[in-house]
Amino acid sequence: MVSGTRSADQVLKAARKAAKSLGYTVSKLPKRGKGSHTIWAVLDQDGNEVGRVALTGHSGQMTKIVTRSNEKSLEGIFGEGWLDK
């Protein structure tokens, strides 16, 4: 479980790092989420989506609940605790 909170930029940076280690990429989807949220997809080597996460568009730290939700949504791909690595 993630310790503390993260900003959307920190989550995106960690997701890109974890994806790169597996040969995957992280790409912003053209449609937006609710409000200022953006949707990011994790793509495998063939361009198939293997996961996605919604990140807030505002600066600053997300709440613990939102940070944990982002971590949990990609745990199946990157493994438990990927956001703290």
Side-chain angles (χ1 to χ4, degrees):
M1 182 183 290
V2 67
S3 60
T5 62
R6 302 287 189 281
S7 69
D9 288 339
Q10 290 171 319
V11 172
L12 182 57
K13 183 178 179 179
R16 285 184 168 148
K17 181 179 176 183
K20 185 177 180 181
S21 71
L22 297 172
Y24 294 170
T25 58
V26 178
S27 180
K28 183 178 174 182
L29 296 180
K31 52 186 165 182
R32 297 185 67 78
K34 203 173 208 178
S36 65
H37 289 72
T38 55
I39 309 298
W40 296 83
V42 179
L43 307 173
D44 66 11
Q45 297 89 340
D46 298 323
N48 299 313
E49 184 178 320
V50 293
R52 69 171 50 187
V53 65
L55 298 174
T56 59
H58 58 77
S59 61
Q61 302 293 308
M62 297 182 286
T63 65
K64 283 184 179 184
I65 293 170
V66 174
T67 301
R68 177 66 184 128
S69 173
N70 284 316
E71 181 186 43
K72 191 171 177 112
S73 69
L74 297 177
E75 262 181 8
I77 304 163
F78 301 143
E80 189 173 335
W82 69 269
L83 196 47
D84 280 333
K85 292 180 182 174

